[in-house]
Amino acid sequence: MRLNSSLFGLSLFALILFSACTTSKKEEATLLIYGGPIYTVDTAQTMVEAVATKGNLILFSGSLEEAEAYKGAQTKLIDLEGKTMTPGLIEGHGHFMGLGYNELNLDLMNTTSYQEIVDAVAERVKTAAPGEWITGRGWHQSKWDEMPEETVKGFQTHDLLSAVSPDNPVYLRHASGHAGFANAKAMEISGLTLLPQEGIDAFEVEGGEVIRDELGRPTGVFNERAQTLITRNIPESTPETDRKAFELAVAACQKKGITGFHDAGIGREAIALFEQMKAEGKMNVRLYTMLTGWDPELLEEWYARGPLVDPDHLLTIRSVKLNCDGALGSRGAWLLESYSDRPGHFGHETLPMETVEETALKGLEHGFQVCSHAIGDRANREILDRYEAAFTAMPERTSDHRFRIEHAQHLHPEDIPRFAELGVIPAMQAIHLSSDRPWAIDRLGEKRIKEGAYMWQTLLESGIPVVNGTDVPVEPLDPIPSFYASVSRKTLKGMPEGGYEPKERMTREQALKSYTLDAAYGAFEEEIKGSIIPGKLADFTIYNQDLMTVSEQDILNTEVVMTIFDGKIVYEKTE
C-alpha cells in the first residue's frame, strides 16, 4: 500500500506539474521585447532584460530566460539590438488640436526676426485668395536675434506686415498663445478704428491690453483677453480641417514617442471630434482632457453628468482648466511686484479669483480635478489661496483631489512648500527654461529668478511630484529637449556652462519619471500606465541610444526610433 501510495503521489505531482506547464504555455505573448536596456520606472526592479505583452497589456517584465516561457508560435520578437526602451512618454500639458493646426497653418516657431515673419506672410499671400485669412503661430520677440528699429513697449508694429498683405487679414499668435499680432486689414475687418471715438474706447478690454503708440494708434499687438477683438472675426474651422488636424496631431505624437497626452483645455467641438475619432478607431493616443473654464454652461453640464473615465483608457474627461494669468514673454504673467523691464506693470488677472474658488468647490463636489494656469508669483499665490479655502470648506472630499497648477513657473519662496502641504501638483514644462531663462531675468530681475523661478528640485524634495511636458504648440512636442533641459538647466545651445541655477536641475531618473509615472499620477492613471510592470498598458518608447547614460551633450542626439501603443507598433523610424 505504501508503494502504491507513493506512486500515486508521484503521479499526482507529475500531473500538477504538467498542468502548470501547459497552463503557462497557454499564456502566449503577443510581443517579446529584449536585447537592450529597458528602464521600468519601477522601484522594485528599475531595469529588466525583457518584456512580454499580451494584447494591450504587459504580461511579464524581468529576465530574458524567464520571458522565453511566454514565447509561442505567434509571438512577434522585437530585438532592440542595443537600443533603449522606457514606458511610453506622456505629454503632461499641451494643446492637442493646436499641435495639429500648427501643422496646417504658418509655423513661426523657428523665426529669428520680424523680417522672417513678414517674408513668411508675403509668401503665403501669393497663394491666398483676396480676403482670405492668413493665420499662424510661434513668433516670440524675446527670442529674435535682433529687434526692428520701431518698437512700442517691447513689441514690433504692424506697418511692415500690413505692407505685404494689404488684401488679406492676418493674425499671428505669439508662441505662448497669450498675445497676437494683426495687420491693418484684420483690424479694419474687426471694426477697430485707428483712434478711439470720443467717449468710446474700443481698445479697453478687462484682463487684456491693446498695445498702442504715443498717438493712441494700435500697433497690431493684442495681449491676453484683448485678442478676442480680432479672433472673434476669424472664420471657424471646418469639420474637414478639424479631422486633418487631429490626424496630424496623432502622427506627431507617435513620431515623438508620446503615447499619452494631457490636453489643457477643450470645448464642445473638440469633445465631439474626439468622441467621433474614438468611435472610428482613430484614437491612437491616450487623451486626458481638461474642460475649458471659458464655457460655464459646459462645466455645469459636466458637473451634472459626472467625470468620463474611459474603460478603454483612450479618452478621459475629469478635469477643468482655468486660465488665470498670462505669459512672461508678453508681460501678461501676474506678479506681486512690477516687471523689472516695465515698472508699474504687474501683468494681468485674466480670470476673477472668485471663479477659481467657485470652480474648486464644484470640482470637489462633483469629482473633477481643477487645473489652473499660473505663471506669475501672484497668480500662483492667489490660486493656492483659493484651493486652500475650498479644501477647508469641504475637508471630506480632499483625500485625493490632485488639483494642479499648470506651469507654476515663477513662485514666491513662501509659497513653494504649500504645493506639498496642500497636495497640489505642479505641471511644469522644463523646456520653457531653455527657451525663456536667457531673457526672463530681464522681466523678473536676478533675485526673483534665483529664489523662485523653475524650482523643480525644491518642489520634488518637498514631497510633491512634478509633471513634465512642452505646452505644445508653445514649444515643439519633442520630449528630448525637455528631458535635456530638466537635467542640464541649459539652453539647447548648451549655455551657460554648468546651467542656470544648477541646484534646481532634476536627476535623469526624476526627469524620466516626470514624463511617465508622475505624469500618470497627475491624471489619476498611475495604476494603469507610467511604468513597465505586469498588468499595465503596453505603451513603450524606444530610442536610438541610452538617454540615461550618454553624456549630457549627447542627450540631444537621442531620437525616438519606435513607438508601441496599446501593444501595437504605431511608429518605426526608417533610415
Side-chain angles (χ1 to χ4, degrees):
M1 289 292 293
R2 286 183 182 173
L3 182 58
N4 290 338
S5 298
S6 298
L7 287 173
F8 177 76
L10 288 170
S11 299
L12 183 62
F13 175 76
L15 182 62
I16 293 171
L17 183 63
F18 177 79
S19 299
C21 292
T22 304
T23 301
S24 66
K25 283 184 179 178
K26 287 182 180 177
E27 203 73 60
E28 185 176 308
T30 309
L31 296 178
L32 179 57
I33 309 167
Y34 62 96
I38 299 175
Y39 293 92
T40 64
V41 194
D42 175 42
T43 55
Q45 50 177 359
T46 57
M47 291 184 68
V48 295
E49 292 181 322
V51 173
T53 70
K54 185 174 184 180
N56 70 341
L57 297 177
I58 299 169
L59 186 61
F60 170 84
S61 63
S63 70
L64 178 57
E65 182 180 357
E66 292 176 279
E68 291 280 352
Y70 298 92
K71 185 170 67 174
Q74 302 302 314
T75 303
K76 179 179 176 63
L77 304 180
I78 299 178
D79 185 350
L80 294 174
E81 298 179 336
K83 302 180 185 71
T84 299
M85 188 170 91
T86 70
L89 299 180
I90 301 168
E91 168 58 57
H93 177 110
H95 304 276
F96 196 74
M97 293 304 290
L99 165 62
Y101 267 102
N102 221 42
E103 302 274 329
L104 290 174
N105 299 329
L106 278 180
D107 184 358
L108 306 173
M109 190 77 70
N110 297 315
T111 52
T112 59
S113 68
Y114 179 24
Q115 188 60 50
E116 282 189 32
I117 292 175
V118 172
D119 292 343
V121 170
E123 192 64 28
R124 183 60 64 91
V125 165
K126 294 177 182 178
T127 58
E132 181 183 345
W133 278 82
I134 296 173
T135 58
R137 179 170 177 164
W139 65 273
H140 198 309
Q141 80 288 355
S142 295
K143 299 179 184 179
W144 291 343
D145 293 337
E146 59 180 2
M147 289 294 291
E149 291 184 9
E150 185 178 359
T151 62
V152 176
K153 295 181 179 179
F155 290 99
Q156 71 280 8
T157 62
H158 72 85
D159 302 283
L160 289 177
L161 179 67
S162 299
V164 300
S165 54
D167 301 318
N168 293 95
V170 178
Y171 192 67
L172 309 173
R173 293 183 185 274
H174 192 267
S176 66
H178 289 269
F181 186 39
N183 71 345
K185 190 68 174 178
M187 290 187 280
E188 175 190 326
I189 289 174
S190 301
L192 302 176
T193 55
L194 292 179
L195 292 172
Q197 298 175 11
E198 186 175 349
I200 302 174
D201 191 346
F203 300 130
E204 286 296 327
V205 178
E206 185 178 356
E209 178 185 20
V210 178
I211 304 297
R212 291 181 273 183
D213 63 19
E214 67 278 1
L215 298 178
R217 299 173 299 185
T219 62
V221 175
F222 294 77
N223 215 341
E224 302 302 339
R225 298 190 71 175
Q227 292 188 81
T228 59
L229 296 173
I230 301 293
T231 57
R232 65 192 178 194
N233 300 288
I234 300 176
E236 294 184 2
S237 58
T238 66
E240 292 74 25
T241 56
D242 283 345
R243 289 177 68 93
K244 182 63 175 176
F246 178 90
E247 291 168 357
L248 288 170
V250 169
C253 286
Q254 293 174 349
K255 185 177 181 180
K256 295 302 180 182
I258 301 296
T259 59
F261 194 108
H262 297 184
D263 197 345
I266 62 171
R268 298 173 188 276
E269 295 80 7
I271 293 170
L273 176 65
F274 293 168
E275 289 177 337
Q276 183 180 357
M277 294 298 97
K278 180 179 182 295
E280 294 179 12
K282 296 182 177 180
M283 185 64 75
N284 292 317
V285 65
R286 304 189 194 283
L287 287 181
Y288 181 83
T289 59
M290 309 172 195
L291 299 165
T292 177
W294 294 125
D295 189 343
E297 291 183 3
L298 178 69
L299 295 186
E300 290 298 331
E301 290 172 17
W302 276 88
Y303 292 151
R305 175 179 174 177
L308 169 64
V309 180
D310 181 8
D312 297 324
H313 312 298
L314 295 175
L315 175 60
T316 298
I317 303 174
R318 66 175 301 174
S319 296
V320 176
K321 166 72 180 304
L322 301 177
N323 291 77
C324 302
D325 75 338
L328 204 59
S330 58
R331 298 181 185 82
W334 194 20
L335 305 182
L336 290 166
E337 299 176 17
S338 67
Y339 280 81
S340 297
D341 57 358
R342 190 177 168 187
H345 181 68
F346 295 84
H348 302 284
E349 175 191 9
T350 56
L351 191 74
M353 287 299 106
E354 294 79 8
T355 302
V356 176
E357 186 167 350
E358 177 187 348
T359 306
L361 288 166
K362 288 188 174 182
L364 291 173
E365 180 182 356
H366 298 286
F368 283 86
Q369 178 190 47
V370 179
C371 307
S372 299
H373 165 115
I375 289 181
D377 55 356
R378 180 165 183 187
N380 277 279
R381 173 173 290 181
E382 296 276 356
I383 291 166
L384 288 170
D385 287 347
R386 296 326 187 276
Y387 282 179
E388 185 172 15
F391 299 159
T392 301
M394 303 182 71
E396 72 282 0
R397 295 184 179 269
T398 61
S399 60
D400 194 27
H401 58 79
R402 303 196 197 184
F403 279 22
R404 293 169 39 161
I405 290 186
E406 308 300 305
H407 310 305
Q409 194 168 339
H410 170 227
L411 310 172
H412 190 281
E414 293 176 3
D415 293 319
I416 294 173
R418 298 180 68 195
F419 282 81
E421 290 167 3
L422 296 173
V424 174
I425 301 168
M428 308 173 76
Q429 299 72 52
I431 188 60
H432 286 336
L433 175 131
S434 286
S435 297
D436 299 357
R437 176 58 180 79
W439 53 261
I441 193 168
D442 297 331
R443 303 284 194 273
L444 300 175
E446 185 176 8
K447 185 175 186 296
R448 284 188 288 184
I449 281 280
K450 291 188 172 182
E451 291 182 354
Y454 318 102
M455 304 298 286
W456 312 326
Q457 192 58 242
T458 298
L459 285 162
L460 286 167
E461 290 175 357
S462 75
I464 197 74
V466 171
V467 174
N468 215 326
T470 63
D471 200 9
V472 63
V474 175
E475 301 278 0
L477 178 67
D478 194 348
I480 301 303
S482 203
F483 181 90
Y484 171 79
S486 302
V487 302
S488 73
R489 304 274 297 191
K490 295 179 181 178
T491 69
L492 300 186
K493 294 181 179 179
M495 299 299 291
E497 185 70 29
Y500 291 108
E501 296 76 54
K503 290 183 179 179
E504 291 300 325
R505 62 188 168 204
M506 300 183 198
T507 66
R508 297 196 195 196
E509 291 73 22
Q510 288 171 332
L512 180 59
K513 194 179 178 195
S514 72
Y515 249 105
T516 53
L517 192 58
D518 283 348
Y521 176 84
F524 299 88
E525 295 177 330
E526 74 278 9
E527 297 298 323
I528 59 168
K529 63 183 184 181
S531 60
I532 300 176
I533 62 174
K536 287 196 174 185
L537 293 162
D539 297 344
F540 312 115
T541 304
I542 299 172
Y543 316 83
N544 65 331
Q545 62 179 2
D546 191 341
L547 76 170
M548 302 298 284
T549 61
V550 296
S551 63
E552 183 182 279
Q553 60 265 30
D554 285 332
I555 291 175
L556 288 174
N557 296 325
T558 305
E559 294 181 342
V560 172
V561 295
M562 184 182 289
T563 303
I564 297 174
F565 171 77
D566 219 33
K568 305 180 190 70
I569 298 172
V570 294
Y571 168 77
E572 192 167 5
K573 181 178 172 60
T574 55
E575 296 299 331

